[in-house]
Amino acid sequence: MDLPRELQQYWSERAPRERRLLTVGAGFLGVVVLYLLLVDPAASGIRRLERLLPQTRAQAEELESLASEAKSLRSAAPAAAPGSADARSAIGTTLEAAGLKSAHSVPLANGDVHLSFLDVPFAKWASWLATAERTLGVHTVSVTAKATATPGNADIEVSLHLPRL
């Protein structure tokens, strides 16, 4: 290795003991820089990933259970028969099971149904709608919700498309 002239002169002017000290110091500095640039980031990354691993595994388990549930629900037949009268009675049954009462239920000309709810807990209604869509195969056509004076409650109008073959 060819060193610049000034560096060669500087090095040759040093005593052997001073050269050893400079060499050891440069080596130590090199090891410290190598540790700070390569080893420490890798070690801290490993520790961080080890802390996140149990949470990631739990999320993966939950995702797998949801996927298997979705697969089993997809293969299951809808609870309501394709006729709109059966579907309307199934909707009434699920409303009762959810503890909700429709203020008005109006069959539409195309066989779908329009439901009105007065001052119902919105979270309970939304949960019922998600369950009805999943189990009965109904599809929401339109929803109008207006908050009431009771916190968390709403007046809701919903039109549902009923399943048919």
Side-chain angles (χ1 to χ4, degrees), residues 67-87:
S68 66
E69 180 183 352
K71 190 182 284 185
S72 68
L73 288 174
R74 211 176 274 142
S75 65
S84 61
D86 291 339

Side-chain angles (χ1 to χ4, degrees), residues 82-165:
S84 61
D86 291 339
R88 280 194 297 272
S89 66
I91 287 173
T93 303
T94 60
L95 282 171
E96 274 183 38
L100 294 170
K101 182 163 173 41
S102 172
H104 300 289
S105 176
V106 179
L108 301 175
N110 62 1
D112 293 348
V113 67
H114 182 83
L115 301 170
S116 300
F117 300 88
L118 296 175
D119 199 30
V120 294
F122 185 79
K124 185 187 268 191
W125 175 84
S127 176
W128 165 79
L129 181 62
T131 302
E133 287 181 338
R134 185 175 61 245
T135 60
L136 302 177
V138 300
H139 298 286
T140 305
V141 176
S142 68
V143 174
T144 305
K146 183 178 178 187
T148 63
T150 309
N153 284 9
D155 292 338
I156 302 169
E157 301 278 332
V158 61
S159 293
L160 298 174
H161 178 72
L162 304 177
R164 294 178 199 26
L165 282 181

Side-chain angles (χ1 to χ4, degrees), residues 1 5 7 12 21-22 29 63 68 73 77 113 130 137-138 146:
M1 181 167 114
R5 193 184 210 19
L7 190 56
S12 63
L21 281 172
L22 287 173
L29 185 61
L63 187 60
S68 66
L73 288 174
V113 67
V138 300
K146 183 178 178 187

Side-chain angles (χ1 to χ4, degrees), residues 35-36 38-51:
Y35 175 79
L36 291 175
L38 300 176
V39 176
D40 187 46
S44 63
I46 289 170
R47 285 190 299 272
R48 181 179 52 83
L49 291 174
E50 284 175 343
R51 280 193 314 268

